[in-house]
Amino acid sequence: MTAPTRAPLMPLDEARQRLLAQVQPLPGTESVATFDADGRVLAQDLVSSLQVPAFDNSSMDGYAVRTADLGRADVVLRVTQRIPAGHTGQPLQPGEVARIFTGAPVPPGADAVVMQEEAELLGEECGVPQVRFTRPVTPGQWIRRSGEDVQRGATVLPAGTRLGPAELGLAASLGQAHLTVSARPRVALFSTGDELVMPGDVPPEALPPGAIYNSNRFFLKALLHRMGCEVSDLGIVPDRREATLAALKTAADHHDLILTSGGVSVGEEDHVKPAVQALGALDLWQISMKPGKPLAFGHVRRSTAAGQAHFVGLPGNPVSSYITFLLMVRPMLLQMQGVRQHDWASIQLPAHFDLPKGDKRREFLRVRRNAAGGLDLFPNQSSGVLTSVVWGDGVVDNPAGHTIARGDLVNFLPFAEWLA
Ligand code: AMP
Ligand code: MG
């Protein structure tokens, strides 16, 4: 007799592709104040209507000069004007220089700035200060040219750019007080599992046997906020079929994604899976990834509005849930907001550990960079150990069956990039 064969695991990249193929950018855009646009995604190209800097200006405190006047060494010139930042000067005549300060417009006729440390003041003649320069002067020196940062008409930030602090500053430097951004994904978050207790409802010393605190709900909510989502935390789904159907229907009408954790293992009894099937469709995938493996993906039809809400059921084990969110749900949410580039970029770093036996699934090992420029491995890689995620600052993306010897270069994915 042959042993029962299990269906082969779905490669992670295939699962991602299948999931992302179902996800369209959300309709509708919103105008938000640039001050409030951190984390949002630009829905239109940001095209500059001006040059930055807007005018040639001095990058030093010193003297604006005409280099043609400086042919002869030791030439003495007259300081005929003073131009602080925010003021404009007069055209510079032959034999004249202008006292100038950082950020002030370079006056017409001037083609270089000499820093004040290289100038020697010689006193006044007829009430006009005289100056001499102690070093050779190159045309163009210490002038910030108009448009050297941004040219008028240039696309400064393309649609699909996720806005962070630097992007907001750049948009403001172009005079943009408001930005057109994509709609926020509206996400309904559910938990499943009779063992789950909310922190605050029961103190640790009174936790009943078999009960655990619901930790997934906390990091999932925080991760969703980081991804620019509006989150409705709908708590624990009532453990009855009718109530589950009603909860899913209402959630679908008002959300773009219904996200649950737990209850997606094969053969697990719960009401969510059949309820999603009754109201839409659901696939149960077994993905070649560790931590993680089971993932439910489908949709729930809307009863009032047109269309449907996506449904994703993450595995219940906290580390599985966390990593699967980053690998599968994060790109989905970014794609909904029109972000074009949401792949992860790995860095090759040396392993400062051994992995004598590679797992048969593609594995995401929690590691931490050390001071020697290598990666240390968290000793307990179990999918329930959230400490590994807190201790680690990223994961090694290790191919199925691949062993690692100390010193080998491995693919490191920093958490910081995912959480930005
Ligand atoms: P499940 O995927 O429902 O079989 O759950 C797998 C493991 O994850 C079990 O040990 C559950 O108790 C645990 N688990 C499920 N949901 C949560 C949650 N929201 N917070 C913490 N642990 C959970
Ligand atoms: Mg469960």
Side-chain angles (χ1 to χ4, degrees):
M1 231 175 71
T2 50
T5 49
R6 287 212 200 144
L9 299 177
M10 189 188 295
L12 173 60
D13 292 333
E14 183 187 330
R16 252 167 73 91
Q17 270 167 22
R18 282 207 203 185
L19 184 146
L20 292 178
Q22 301 294 316
V23 176
Q24 306 303 323
L26 296 174
T29 61
E30 202 184 321
S31 172
V32 297
T34 305
F35 266 130
D36 302 326
D38 187 23
R40 302 296 295 268
V41 178
L42 265 190
Q44 293 174 352
D45 288 351
L46 183 62
V47 177
S48 178
S49 59
L50 46 79
Q51 305 267 96
V52 181
F55 45 86
D56 290 358
N57 68 91
S58 176
S59 60
M60 283 288 166
D61 290 345
Y63 296 86
V65 303
R66 303 160 49 100
T67 50
D69 289 350
L70 301 169
R72 191 167 50 80
D74 263 14
V75 65
V76 176
L77 298 159
R78 298 182 303 132
V79 187
T80 53
Q81 50 178 322
R82 188 175 188 278
I83 317 171
H87 294 77
T88 52
Q90 300 300 317
L92 210 55
Q93 305 302 327
E96 293 181 357
V97 303
R99 181 76 172 114
I100 196 164
F101 298 89
T102 304
V106 173
D111 63 346
V113 169
V114 180
M115 62 168 92
Q116 60 195 21
E117 292 81 351
E118 295 175 359
E120 193 183 343
L121 273 173
L122 304 168
E124 294 189 355
E125 199 156 288
C126 305
V128 180
Q130 310 286 302
V131 73
R132 186 166 61 193
F133 301 117
T134 56
R135 289 177 153 269
V137 180
T138 316
Q141 71 176 34
W142 305 122
I143 295 180
R144 300 191 283 221
R145 292 291 174 195
S146 167
E148 77 176 31
D149 187 358
V150 179
Q151 291 280 331
R152 182 182 292 113
T155 298
V156 178
L157 298 169
T161 302
R162 201 147 171 251
L163 300 164
E167 287 77 13
L168 298 183
L170 186 57
S173 77
L174 306 179
Q176 300 290 323
H178 291 86
L179 295 169
T180 305
V181 297
S182 310
R184 285 179 188 279
R186 300 161 303 164
V187 183
L189 185 59
F190 285 114
S191 307
T192 73
D194 291 341
E195 72 279 29
L196 300 179
V197 171
M198 278 301 282
D201 287 355
V202 181
E205 60 279 11
L207 207 57
I212 59 166
Y213 285 119
N214 185 343
S215 53
N216 297 1
R217 193 166 165 188
F218 287 79
F219 64 69
L220 289 174
K221 192 169 179 178
L223 286 168
L224 288 165
H225 280 143
R226 296 246 175 160
M227 298 289 91
C229 300
E230 267 174 35
V231 185
S232 309
D233 183 354
L234 302 176
I236 295 191
V237 188
D239 201 17
R240 285 171 288 118
R241 181 179 153 80
E242 286 313 312
T244 306
L245 285 170
L248 285 175
K249 266 189 206 157
T250 317
D253 284 347
H254 302 287
H255 298 88
D256 305 300
L257 167 66
I258 300 171
L259 186 65
T260 68
S261 74
V264 290
S265 306
V266 179
E268 183 153 354
E269 285 298 312
D270 87 354
H271 287 283
V272 178
K273 284 188 291 191
V276 172
Q277 270 151 349
L279 297 171
L282 192 68
D283 279 327
L284 290 174
W285 291 342
Q286 298 296 310
I287 303 174
S288 172
M289 64 180 290
K290 185 184 177 190
K293 182 167 91 177
L295 184 87
F297 177 61
H299 64 262
V300 178
R301 282 187 299 275
R302 296 199 166 114
S303 60
T304 52
Q308 59 196 38
H310 296 288
F311 177 91
V312 173
L314 295 169
N317 272 311
V319 185
S320 305
S321 215
Y322 196 91
I323 300 287
T324 311
F325 179 97
L326 293 178
L327 292 174
M328 304 289 280
V329 181
R330 178 182 179 274
M332 180 179 185
L333 295 168
L334 293 178
Q335 187 163 305
M336 280 183 187
Q337 295 174 82
V339 177
R340 294 207 185 107
Q341 181 58 39
H342 42 65
D343 270 344
W344 54 76
S346 62
I347 310 166
Q348 297 241 301
L349 287 178
H352 286 182
F353 60 87
D354 292 298
L355 189 78
K357 192 170 175 295
D359 197 87
K360 58 181 189 296
R361 289 179 268 162
R362 179 171 168 181
E363 192 168 11
F364 295 90
L365 302 159
R366 273 79 67 213
V367 294
R368 185 156 95 177
R369 281 194 217 215
N370 59 31
L375 298 169
D376 294 329
L377 182 71
F378 192 74
N380 186 344
Q381 294 285 326
S382 158
S383 60
V385 176
L386 262 184
T387 321
S388 68
V389 182
V390 174
W391 180 91
D393 54 11
V395 290
V396 165
D397 178 1
N398 192 46
H402 188 255
T403 58
I404 297 172
R406 185 173 288 267
D408 285 354
L409 285 180
V410 293
N411 295 318
F412 174 64
L413 304 170
F415 286 140
E417 195 172 314
W418 274 328
L419 300 179

